Amino acid sequence: GSTGRPKGVSVRHRNVMALLAWAKQALADDEIERMLLSTSICFDVSVFELFVPLSRGKTVVLVDDLLALVTPLETAPTIVGGVPSALSELLRHVELPTSVRTVVSAGEPLRRDLVARLAAQPGVTRVLECYGPTETTVFATAGDRYPDGPETIGAPIAGWRAQIVDAQDRPLPVGEVGELLIGGAGVTAGYLGRPELNAERF
């Protein structure tokens, strides 16, 4: 997290169900037919990679990490995800399997040059950037990215809200710099056993 030390976020089942409901709207069945699960279960994105396909009767392709795609897999994924630095490193060695239709990027800023490299992969028809701290159940915003489009984290996902505010939590106009407040269905129960931090951040 932001401090580099685990804070123990307590995620409710209803938070995950809201994430799955968004994913059902945002990702077609053929996109998630075979989802690569390359994220450690110690990291929140694994919740997305594991439960989105399983909740819809689809397949999880389990690997140690994203760089497993350097060698052909027995089961070819249709959707892969990763942080931009790992995706960039992967593309230094190989192209994505032609089975991959959708790439989900999260965890770091996704620069336009990498969007172009991902979009140019043989089977890729969609590059989706997602953003969100664990405190808001994996993702809070999402948006399709295009090589000639703006660098953006997208809009709040269904059931979530987002607002840029000043130091007094007052909404700021477009173009002003402030802090991102996130609310709605994804906001978790807080940090386990950390009431002082909950009072500050939640």
Side-chain angles (χ1 to χ4, degrees):
S2 57
T3 63
R5 299 173 54 140
K7 293 187 285 290
V9 175
S10 181
V11 179
R12 300 176 182 105
H13 286 98
R14 69 174 175 242
N15 299 137
V16 175
M17 295 304 292
L19 179 74
L20 298 180
W22 162 75
K24 187 163 187 174
Q25 295 174 5
L27 297 163
D29 282 348
D30 61 344
E31 287 182 275
I32 64 157
E33 190 66 41
R34 296 179 303 278
M35 185 176 288
L36 191 74
L37 173 51
S38 61
T39 303
S40 165
I41 60 167
C42 297
F43 187 50
D44 63 348
V45 174
S46 67
V47 171
F48 171 80
E49 292 178 348
L50 180 63
F51 293 113
V52 167
L54 292 184
S55 68
R56 290 163 63 184
K58 304 303 180 182
T59 300
V60 172
V61 181
L62 183 62
V63 295
D64 287 336
D65 57 48
L66 187 60
L67 296 179
L69 290 176
V70 169
T71 56
L73 300 177
E74 186 175 322
T75 302
T78 57
I79 182 169
V80 301
V83 295
S85 54
L87 289 164
S88 183
E89 182 64 21
L90 177 66
L91 294 183
R92 283 184 58 239
H93 299 284
V94 295
E95 289 187 333
L96 292 177
T98 57
S99 59
V100 175
R101 298 287 176 256
T102 300
V103 178
V104 178
S105 176
E108 299 168 355
L110 177 59
R111 301 295 179 215
R112 194 175 285 117
D113 62 324
L114 182 54
V115 173
R117 290 169 58 203
L118 291 167
Q121 293 298 297
V124 172
T125 58
R126 185 179 191 195
V127 177
L128 181 66
E129 182 171 18
C130 297
Y131 164 81
T134 303
E135 290 85 344
T136 62
T137 313
V138 188
F139 303 138
T141 68
D144 287 297
R145 291 288 306 275
Y146 305 95
D148 57 351
E151 292 185 336
T152 173
I153 60 170
I157 65 176
W160 276 244
R161 296 183 309 277
Q163 179 72 55
I164 305 295
V165 297
D166 65 15
Q168 287 75 44
D169 291 340
R170 294 178 301 215
L172 288 170
V174 173
E176 294 293 318
V177 176
E179 185 171 11
L180 177 63
L181 287 187
I182 301 169
V187 176
T188 64
Y191 304 114
L192 189 62
R194 303 285 300 275
E196 74 295 337
L197 196 56
N198 287 341
E200 176 189 336
R201 302 307 294 172
F202 282 80

